[in-house]
Amino acid sequence: MSHTERLPRNRTYLMCPPEHFTVEYTINPWMDTTVPVDPALALKQWHLLRDTLSDLGHAVHVLDARPGLPDMVYAANGAFSVDGRVYGARFKFPQRAAEAAAHQLFYAGGPWTFADPEHVNEGEGDFAYLPGAYGGLILAGHGFRTDPAAHAEAQEVLGRPVISLRLVDPAFYHLDTALAALDDRHITYYPDAFSAASQRVLRQLFPDAVIADRADAEAFGLNLVSDGHHVILNTEATAMADKVRAHGYTPVLVELTELKRGGGSVKCAVAELRP
């Protein structure tokens, strides 16, 4: 694929403002309850991300935040949609369990076919869709949050082949911290976040992937959103920005230091809606 073919495609996204965001418990290695969150800064940074997506021509829907659910800002975890079908989330930790119902209520108000899951899964946190790869392919992570049985369940609900990938490094507990879709056919990923067998699968399926290193992953440089041309990353991911630029994409940097305190960045805050 030549660099001149890196064309954007208009997307539709769902976000939830960090009106109640704080770090009051620890469910991933990035969370530190001893370091206070700056609520005003978190909200300012979230608005900047939302405005950046809107200014690039994308539609952004907003899910109302709910008191007592500080992690609702990570809207990507609430469901996973493909072709108008929605596979709902079932969170591993009780602190986030009620988020699933809030997302389900959102989809109940639109032209969606919603499936309530039987198995633990955390939405787009552990699922990525590439509509132009192999006729439409879902990559799915497991190892820390999502139950492997959810992969087969998602395949039945969504009618797309699902490739299971095992995550092995607790620092990269969701797929979207270790792998991202750059466009409809191409990905970037950090190999050492995956088991040896999963690395072989990724090399076979995506021989032209953009390979990230640990520094990129620790900067949450893989927790990105791309429209096929513009790649939105957090400002700490400068080396990752250089990598995607070298492959013909245009990096757009947004400061999200406060959201990183909860273990998320750009992608965690943005769910893609695929009618």
Side-chain angles (χ1 to χ4, degrees):
M1 186 179 186
S2 69
H3 292 178
T4 58
E5 294 176 297
R6 308 292 194 204
L7 300 176
R9 175 168 61 80
N10 287 342
R11 313 288 178 117
T12 302
Y13 297 118
L14 178 67
M15 299 179 65
C16 180
E19 293 174 356
H20 308 288
F21 176 61
T22 183
V23 179
E24 58 187 35
Y25 47 76
T26 301
I27 59 173
N28 69 60
W30 303 94
M31 302 177 86
D32 183 351
T33 58
T34 67
V35 180
V37 169
D38 183 332
L41 181 58
L43 192 59
K44 179 182 178 180
Q45 292 176 346
W46 180 89
H47 277 289
L48 179 59
L49 175 58
R50 186 191 66 177
D51 291 347
T52 297
L53 294 171
S54 297
D55 290 347
L56 290 172
H58 306 300
V60 181
H61 296 273
V62 176
L63 180 67
D64 290 338
R66 295 190 179 186
L69 296 175
D71 283 343
M72 267 192 77
V73 65
Y74 303 122
N77 301 152
F80 177 55
S81 66
V82 174
D83 299 331
R85 298 183 181 92
V86 180
Y87 180 52
R90 183 178 294 272
F91 287 88
K92 177 176 180 178
F93 292 103
Q95 293 94 330
R96 300 195 65 184
E99 293 180 39
H103 282 264
Q104 183 173 357
L105 186 62
F106 169 82
Y107 289 104
W112 308 92
T113 301
F114 187 91
D116 198 13
E118 294 183 11
H119 300 288
V120 171
N121 81 89
E122 299 199 344
E124 280 198 322
D126 272 326
F127 290 100
Y129 182 52
L130 292 107
Y134 306 97
L137 188 68
I138 296 170
L139 301 179
H142 69 92
F144 298 101
R145 297 291 184 88
T146 294
D147 188 327
H151 297 179
E153 187 177 38
Q155 182 168 276
E156 289 300 309
V157 169
L158 302 172
R160 296 289 184 179
V162 175
I163 302 297
S164 292
L165 303 167
R166 185 163 70 90
L167 297 162
V168 296
D169 188 327
F172 311 112
Y173 58 95
H174 272 157
L175 184 71
D176 68 5
T177 65
L179 180 150
L182 291 170
D183 54 40
D184 289 351
R185 295 191 293 118
H186 298 87
I187 68 168
T188 179
Y189 69 99
Y190 169 49
D192 286 351
F194 298 92
S195 68
S198 293
Q199 290 182 45
R200 290 195 296 271
V201 169
L202 287 168
R203 285 196 299 268
Q204 179 177 337
L205 293 176
F206 302 98
D208 56 354
V210 177
I211 302 300
D213 59 26
R214 187 173 187 89
D216 297 322
E218 289 182 341
F220 277 57
L222 291 159
N223 198 245
L224 60 83
V225 168
S226 176
D227 63 14
H229 175 74
H230 306 100
V231 178
I232 299 91
L233 310 114
N234 76 81
T235 50
E236 296 180 32
T238 53
M240 193 67 209
D242 291 340
K243 288 182 173 70
V244 299
R245 184 184 293 110
H247 284 78
Y249 301 93
T250 298
V252 179
L253 297 175
V254 179
E255 185 175 359
L256 285 180
T257 53
E258 290 307 294
L259 291 193
K260 188 180 179 182
R261 298 185 188 279
S265 190
V266 177
K267 178 56 195 169
C268 287
V270 180
E272 183 169 352
L273 306 180
R274 303 177 185 89

